[in-house]
Amino acid sequence: VAILSVFLLETLALICANGTRFFLHFFSVLDLVVILISLFFELRGIYNSHNGNEGYVGFSVISRIWHFVRVGHGVHELEMKKERVDDEEEEGSEQKDGGGEMEVIQ
């Protein structure tokens, strides 16, 4: 429950930061839905443990794996974006310097 609560707080912070733009991104909304459903099943499993919630445990595990995959994907996207920005800065500095290499005229 603690991990799901952290994920929920993270998602709520993203909603506050991005406003309605958050809901334009399919995977962000899917994350929110997965977290809410997982939290529901987790709390239901805690309070109704005698009713045989084995099926819900599988969903909970899959949803947590999904969230970690999404976090990993986000990290990958940030790294790719940083590389693109670094490449653009290098190209800009080369153009500013006149190509970086000078020809020797004899």
Side-chain angles (χ1 to χ4, degrees):
V1 175
I3 293 172
L4 288 172
S5 298
V6 170
F7 289 157
L8 183 60
L9 287 174
E10 174 196 11
T11 304
L12 292 175
L14 285 172
I15 291 171
C16 289
N18 295 315
T20 56
R21 289 181 297 155
F22 174 86
F23 297 100
L24 298 176
H25 300 281
F26 173 75
F27 288 112
S28 296
V29 175
L30 184 60
D31 277 345
L32 177 62
V33 170
V34 166
I35 291 167
L36 290 174
I37 291 172
S38 298
L39 193 57
F40 169 77
F41 284 139
E42 193 74 24
L43 292 173
R44 185 170 186 243
I46 289 171
Y47 293 113
N48 294 328
S49 59
H50 59 278
N51 290 340
N53 293 316
E54 294 82 19
Y56 302 131
V57 172
F59 179 80
S60 181
V61 169
I62 290 172
S63 68
R64 287 182 185 157
I65 291 171
W66 164 256
H67 195 78
F68 284 115
V69 167
R70 285 284 294 143
V71 168
H73 179 260
V75 169
H76 173 72
E77 286 292 317
L78 285 174
E79 288 177 358
M80 296 301 292
K81 186 174 184 177
K82 183 180 181 311
E83 286 180 18
R84 283 193 302 267
V85 168
D86 290 345
D87 290 344
E88 289 172 1
E89 287 176 355
E90 284 180 16
E91 288 175 7
S93 67
E94 286 177 5
Q95 290 176 355
K96 193 178 196 180
D97 295 339
E101 295 181 15
M102 295 183 64
E103 258 184 66
V104 177
I105 300 174
Q106 296 181 356

